[in-house]
Amino acid sequence: MIMKNEFKSLIVQGDKKFSLKNHKTDFTGGYNKEKAKDALVNSKIELNHLQEKLYASGKNSLLIIFQAMDAAGKDSAIEHVMSGLNPQGCQVYSFKVPTSEEYEHDFLWRHYKALPERGRIGIHNRSHYENVLVCKVHPEYILSENIPGFADVKKINKSFWQQRYKSIKNFEEHLTANGTVIIKFFLNVSKAEQKQRFLDRIEDPTKNWKFSSGDIKERALWDKYMEAYEHAINETSTTDAPWHIIPADKKWFTRLAISEIIVDKLKELDLKFPVLGEGETAKLSETKNILLSE
């Protein structure tokens, strides 16, 4: 299967300079809402079949990373795209502020612990990239890690961030070499659409719980976040673990794009159900005869 051009164009090639201004947040690839909904139904069915093969083969694992600004639709994308998966073969982790125990280890420790086993799909709602995104916008957070030589924000310079990008790339390269397929999604929502979604959360009592006053404080730092995302994506989009920039203003297209990209990646693995050896096949025949003779 060759990925449709409208989805292939969302991949950040590691050898090219990435700029957010070249990616439209309302891109829909020629789909309308109804067409996208129908396509998503078929894509989810295909994803379910591929998950079964992934689980049965037990050779690879799939790590799906979601990063985005608040209200970009990460939670709803996970809910809609993954709703057809077998829960036994899937796990979701939503990373919050590190605990005191997690701060006692390096920044990758808690993420390594949450990796999916072979045959399983792991979904990370926010991820190790928070350490080069929110921490880059708020470098004072780094001080809580108690890293030797970095007791002052002024010490956290360009060299520090380059080392952190390198650590992330080495981490992902190691995972890939050991059978973990990594898919990284940045849900690219516009500032105007975020504003409307915040207003919707405020006006709808059933959505009030989703809103935090802290969201507005972070929104004021929008330009700094966009700069942090550009740097992180440029530094860590590789051939084996590329970033996908998903237009997020239209949730119906966001969900379809994510599903199609996951399906395409799993198809690349050429997954197959395990084939029994001659001895085991013979035992199956014997067992069948015993059951039929009861």
Side-chain angles (χ1 to χ4, degrees), residues 25 70-73 189-204 207-208 210-211 215-216 219 222 248-251:
T25 59
D70 292 319
V189 70
S190 67
K191 193 174 183 181
E193 180 62 22
Q194 188 199 55
K195 175 182 177 179
Q196 185 56 54
R197 292 180 187 179
F198 278 168
L199 289 171
D200 291 342
R201 290 179 178 183
I202 292 170
E203 293 169 2
D204 185 347
K207 295 182 179 180
N208 287 171
K210 291 184 177 183
F211 186 76
D215 296 340
I216 294 300
R219 176 178 167 81
W222 183 277
D249 282 3
K250 309 292 184 184
K251 288 186 177 182

Side-chain angles (χ1 to χ4, degrees), residues 14-200:
D15 58 344
K16 295 181 180 179
K17 186 71 174 178
F18 163 73
S19 176
L20 274 172
K21 67 181 182 181
N22 296 329
H23 292 263
K24 294 183 178 180
T25 59
D26 60 353
F27 174 78
T28 58
Y31 284 85
N32 58 39
K33 192 171 185 177
E34 290 307 312
K35 181 181 176 183
K37 283 185 175 181
D38 291 341
L40 179 59
V41 170
N42 294 327
S43 186
K44 286 164 65 176
I45 292 172
E46 197 165 17
L47 180 56
N48 177 269
H49 293 323
L50 288 166
Q51 182 206 13
E52 188 176 8
K53 288 184 177 180
L54 177 74
Y55 187 84
S57 64
K59 293 182 179 180
N60 296 98
S61 58
L62 177 62
L63 174 62
I64 304 172
I65 292 170
F66 285 94
Q67 289 289 157
M69 295 295 284
D70 292 319
K74 297 190 307 302
D75 292 347
S76 63
I78 293 170
E79 176 187 356
H80 284 79
V81 175
M82 311 301 174
S83 60
L85 296 181
N86 184 337
Q88 294 184 94
C90 185
Q91 56 206 44
V92 180
Y93 286 91
S94 296
F95 291 97
K96 307 296 183 183
V97 176
T99 64
S100 58
E101 180 188 18
E102 290 166 346
Y103 270 135
E104 291 173 357
H105 297 269
D106 68 272
F107 78 95
L108 290 170
W109 181 74
R110 66 173 182 161
H111 303 285
Y112 203 101
K113 287 177 60 182
L115 292 174
E117 301 91 335
R118 298 185 192 279
R120 295 172 64 87
I121 296 175
I123 301 165
H124 288 190
N125 186 348
R126 301 193 187 279
S127 67
H128 48 287
Y129 280 96
E130 290 294 285
N131 297 278
V132 291
L133 294 169
V134 66
C135 287
K136 195 167 188 183
V137 175
H138 297 281
E140 64 273 16
Y141 293 171
I142 296 294
L143 302 183
S144 297
E145 297 182 32
N146 292 320
I147 302 172
F150 293 95
D152 189 325
V153 172
K154 293 179 181 179
K155 298 283 188 179
I156 304 171
N157 54 20
K158 183 178 179 180
S159 177
F160 174 88
W161 296 115
Q162 289 302 126
Q163 179 58 51
R164 190 147 282 199
Y165 295 137
K166 182 179 178 180
S167 294
I168 289 174
K169 288 175 70 175
N170 289 341
F171 172 59
E172 293 178 354
E173 182 180 359
H174 171 72
L175 297 182
T176 300
N178 284 276
T180 297
V181 177
I182 303 171
I183 305 179
K184 300 184 291 196
F185 293 119
F186 169 57
L187 274 55
N188 188 23
V189 70
S190 67
K191 193 174 183 181
E193 180 62 22
Q194 188 199 55
K195 175 182 177 179
Q196 185 56 54
R197 292 180 187 179
F198 278 168
L199 289 171
D200 291 342

Side-chain angles (χ1 to χ4, degrees), residues 229-243:
Y229 269 107
E230 281 196 357
H231 285 165
I233 292 169
N234 272 310
E235 293 290 341
T236 62
S237 196
T238 63
T239 301
D240 289 328
W243 276 99

